[in-house]
Amino acid sequence: MATIEGSYFDCPSSSEPEPGPSTSGMGISIQKREPILKLQHPVSGVEPIAWSDDHRISICTSRNISVLEQICDIHGYGQDMVIHRTSIAASLNSCLLKVGSKKEVLECKERFANSKDLTISQTFMLDRVLNTDGKALPSMRGFKYTCWSPLGCDSNGRCLLAALTLDNRLTIQANLNRLQWLQLADLTELYGDMLYETSFKHSRLDAPRSEAENFSEYERRHSMQCPVRMEWSSICTTQQVKLNNECLDVGTVLLAVLFENGDIAVWQFQIPFLGKESITSCNTIESGISSPSVLSWWEYEHSGRKMSGLIVGSAFGPVKILPVNLKAVKGYFTLRQPVVLWQETDQLPVQSIRCLSLYHPHQKCNCSLVVAARGPYVFWCLLLISKAGLNVHNSHVTGLHSLPIISVAADRQNGTIYTCSTDGKIRKLTPIFTDVAVKFDHDLIKLPDYLGSVRVHGIAVSPNGAYMSAVTTEGMNNGLHPVNRNFHVQFVTLMTPEEAAIQLMESSVQNLFKQVDLMDLVRWKILKEKQISEDLQEALNRKLELNGSTYLWRFKLFLLRIVYQSLQKSPSAAPWKPSQDDSKMQVGGNIEVENCKEQQGTGEKQQKNSALKQKGSRKRAAAEVSRDSDSEELSKDPVIEPEDDNLESGKEKKEESLEEKLLAVQARIEAVEMHLTREHMKHVLGEVYLHTWITENTSVPSRGVCDYLMSDPSYDDRTARVLIGHVLKKMNKQTFPEYCSLCKEVLPFTDRRQAVCANGHIWLRSRLD
């Protein structure tokens, strides 16, 4: 592996030196990012941390889910990461699985608790799921696992959160107003009602089961409803047939839920997911795996068609792919039979599974790489389709960790895998393809020394591989465990800002919101250096000359705004804090009189203070005059020079140069904003020209936009002029002005920033679109 020499960002010089980038043994450059976030409660569950595609991080704790949203703030002055924190509280009521009627359940609990068979009574009394009323048992409050849906599943086009509590309640959460999380559906309750209607059988054709009075049947009904893991699929398209026999493409997403008995429930949701009414179907698959431990979706694309399945791992060791029959889903085909990836029952539990879609350079085709943690080893399996069929190559990577692997994270953009164990050791695995299979280069990523001895509970990688977040606690100190444990979320960089800038310019996503982690790295560098590097400017200008897309122009606007923000002086006080001069409101008649007296007293004091200030200012002015005369006398002497004048002149020069820089950057921002506005105006006029159907509420100011584009004689765009000519010819003498929402007056299109009607009502416009 090549060593990354140096860092793209130089640490700012200060009285207290900041810790620089630490390079591990095999050349992985890591740098810590602030802030370090402290969690209010201990973490709980398996793999407690997850990072979504819309840059939100969920951490499972014993009382709530702490959600951290990374925001790239263009108005902030600080160099720290901007994190918006929310939380989802655990329910105070314990989850009761529906295994029969209330009367039947009460009779069964009493019978099992008082049974003379100790194998039944003790098993029942010590099981927190079966005996929900056991007050002597430890509390089951907290969260076990969370997973994020793909981008675009809720009503705002963002990600949904599936949350599983320790007492087996599975819910779908959505953050619709940025401040509060809303529970959209309780899947555990819905699935229990479905099983109760079918008498706890997978289908009505199955043989009848025994009653819940039988303890084994009572356990079976609970294991049918106890989720182990759940995972979201990617968004797929289904066809719905209308009443007039027309086909409508509808976006759907699947949620697979793995239960303790090995069953898998596949929920199909319509997008956007709004609640119970958005549930399309729920099908149950029997996996046949005993003691299942982990679940993951497997998606493979070959020759323009997609293949889908579910990877299930067992606590005893086996791993296999189950076919999923996706009916009415466009572009998908299913496996004919299950594919066994590892069949040895070697008592190595499968902890975590990740799947990567890669391109095989030797076979010249797409392939699927499945990676699973089995104890301290990493199991990998390479699947690719050739003329002979589906080829499967598998093996293990050993010697990575001395303790079992507790978390695996995958960077799907760059094709790398990260593993960690509880002792704080993190490894990076990079797949290298051979003629037949694949081998791995693994590097040790040691957390910076200034973090101290830490214990890692889980890791997650940002969607574009810029950051890694880790949940840590204090490790052993001098061979002793800490008395009190504090849980923190720490962030480290996985790439340099230069690499992030290159990835942003060469990205095929063409969306800055989806690449917030990369933008934050670039923002960090600009705020530290207070300028854009020449290499980045030249590379961006070359890209704009070859392909002047609006995405690259928006990226350039983002860079200029960050530079403008870095040149400004940071305020001494936070803008949200109230000023201390504001008088407090008092209630009551006596208090009002006292307040009047106090106001009179304060008024007299203010008059005295103003008089004293005037006297002081006069004395100060006289002192300045005398100082000026002294400086004139000193200036006559060729040896002695006034130091105060030199300092003041130096400060004035710095302020003038800073103002010149600010004006220059502001002029460049105006030019880029004007370019983007014109491009969007051309897009709007193109839509107006192509669409001939005009509704009653249509208020696109087509003529105003045309006049605004033609008003600038320096703007010479032949495409715009031809388009304007076609639009004006089509409109003839018609005008489609905008109207004021208050007084219904015509809004003239004279300014791209705001519109003012004849009565003075001001309406702000978007500067860009």
Side-chain angles (χ1 to χ4, degrees), residues 270-373:
Q270 186 174 342
I271 295 175
F273 184 76
L274 303 176
K276 296 180 182 179
E277 62 274 11
S278 300
I279 298 176
T280 305
S281 63
C282 177
N283 300 314
T284 303
I285 303 173
E286 296 184 29
S287 66
I289 292 182
S290 58
S291 298
S293 60
V294 68
L295 175 73
S296 179
W297 278 96
W298 176 71
E299 294 179 349
Y300 178 72
E301 186 174 356
H302 178 72
S303 299
R305 300 187 66 187
K306 294 181 180 180
M307 182 185 297
S308 180
L310 286 169
I311 309 174
V312 184
S314 172
F316 297 147
V319 183
K320 70 177 181 180
I321 302 178
L322 299 176
V324 179
N325 187 14
L326 301 178
K327 297 181 180 179
V329 177
K330 297 175 63 176
Y332 276 83
F333 63 99
T334 59
L335 295 171
R336 296 180 180 177
Q337 58 186 2
V339 178
V340 178
L341 304 182
W342 185 257
Q343 60 181 358
E344 297 293 335
T345 308
D346 48 12
Q347 304 300 322
L348 287 176
V350 184
Q351 176 69 21
S352 178
I353 296 178
R354 296 292 181 266
C355 184
L356 294 175
S357 297
L358 303 173
Y359 179 77
H360 202 298
H362 300 284
Q363 300 293 333
K364 307 295 183 182
C365 64
N366 294 329
C367 63
S368 177
L369 179 63
V370 178
V371 177

Side-chain angles (χ1 to χ4, degrees), residues 107-290:
E107 291 177 355
C108 290
K109 286 183 177 181
E110 185 177 357
R111 181 182 294 105
F112 298 147
N114 300 324
S115 177
K116 294 181 180 180
D117 188 354
L118 296 180
T119 58
I120 294 178
S121 60
Q122 291 184 3
T123 303
F124 174 78
M125 294 298 291
L126 295 177
D127 196 321
R128 199 68 177 88
V129 177
L130 302 179
N131 183 21
T132 55
D133 300 330
K135 297 181 180 179
L137 298 176
S139 174
M140 293 287 286
R141 189 183 177 192
F143 287 88
K144 182 179 181 180
Y145 187 69
T146 58
C147 64
W148 294 93
S149 73
L151 196 64
C153 290
D154 70 348
S155 57
N156 294 332
R158 304 197 68 180
C159 297
L160 297 170
L161 180 64
L164 176 62
T165 59
L166 291 174
D167 57 355
N168 303 306
R169 178 184 277 114
L170 177 59
T171 57
I172 306 296
Q173 307 281 342
N175 184 215
L176 303 179
N177 58 0
R178 286 182 57 85
L179 298 177
Q180 184 180 7
W181 287 84
L182 178 66
Q183 178 179 316
L184 299 181
D186 188 345
L187 299 185
T188 300
E189 181 182 355
L190 296 176
Y191 193 69
D193 294 339
M194 291 170 56
L195 291 176
Y196 183 74
E197 292 176 359
T198 59
S199 300
F200 298 93
K201 298 183 294 184
H202 294 302
S203 64
R204 301 184 184 275
L205 301 177
D206 292 347
R209 297 280 184 173
S210 59
E211 297 297 329
E213 298 176 355
N214 189 355
F215 187 67
S216 61
E217 174 65 17
Y218 190 77
E219 285 184 315
R220 188 188 73 87
R221 293 185 180 184
H222 278 87
S223 64
M224 292 177 69
Q225 304 177 61
C226 292
V228 179
R229 295 285 183 94
M230 64 282 182
E231 293 294 337
W232 295 90
S233 71
S234 60
I235 296 177
C236 49
T237 304
T238 59
Q239 287 187 344
Q240 284 186 354
V241 181
K242 294 183 177 181
L243 297 177
N244 56 357
N245 293 330
E246 290 184 0
C247 292
L248 178 65
D249 291 341
V250 179
T252 59
V253 66
L254 304 177
L255 178 65
V257 184
L258 178 65
F259 295 97
E260 285 185 357
N261 66 339
D263 293 346
I264 301 174
V266 181
W267 296 84
Q268 187 174 14
F269 304 138
Q270 186 174 342
I271 295 175
F273 184 76
L274 303 176
K276 296 180 182 179
E277 62 274 11
S278 300
I279 298 176
T280 305
S281 63
C282 177
N283 300 314
T284 303
I285 303 173
E286 296 184 29
S287 66
I289 292 182
S290 58

Side-chain angles (χ1 to χ4, degrees), residues 24-44:
S24 63
M26 295 300 292
I28 303 300
S29 180
I30 288 181
Q31 196 165 359
K32 186 188 73 170
R33 287 299 311 271
E34 296 290 344
I36 298 177
L37 303 176
K38 183 179 179 180
L39 299 176
Q40 297 178 350
H41 307 285
V43 296
S44 61

Side-chain angles (χ1 to χ4, degrees), residues 442-546:
H442 51 87
D443 304 321
L444 176 63
I445 300 181
K446 187 180 178 182
L447 293 178
D449 296 333
Y450 42 82
L451 295 179
S453 175
V454 294
R455 178 183 177 185
V456 182
H457 294 267
I459 59 173
V461 178
S462 62
N464 299 284
Y467 289 109
M468 174 188 290
S469 59
V471 180
T472 62
T473 54
E474 295 85 352
M476 296 181 66
N477 188 10
N478 296 326
L480 299 175
H481 291 281
V483 178
N484 298 319
R485 292 189 182 274
N486 297 316
F487 292 82
H488 298 88
V489 181
Q490 309 203 32
F491 296 91
V492 295
T493 62
L494 295 177
M495 63 173 62
T496 61
E498 184 179 23
E499 295 171 344
I502 293 173
Q503 191 167 332
L504 279 168
M505 287 188 293
E506 297 179 354
S507 173
S508 60
V509 179
Q510 302 289 301
N511 190 324
L512 292 178
F513 171 74
K514 295 181 180 180
Q515 304 174 88
V516 166
D517 50 347
L518 300 175
M519 293 173 60
D520 187 73
L521 270 180
V522 179
R523 168 185 171 271
W524 185 33
K525 176 188 185 301
I526 295 175
L527 288 176
K528 291 170 72 173
E529 296 186 351
K530 300 184 183 299
Q531 64 178 359
I532 307 174
S533 63
E534 294 182 0
D535 297 338
L536 178 57
Q537 289 189 32
E538 293 176 359
L540 184 58
N541 291 333
R542 287 196 299 268
K543 284 280 185 180
L544 287 172
E545 290 177 1
L546 296 175

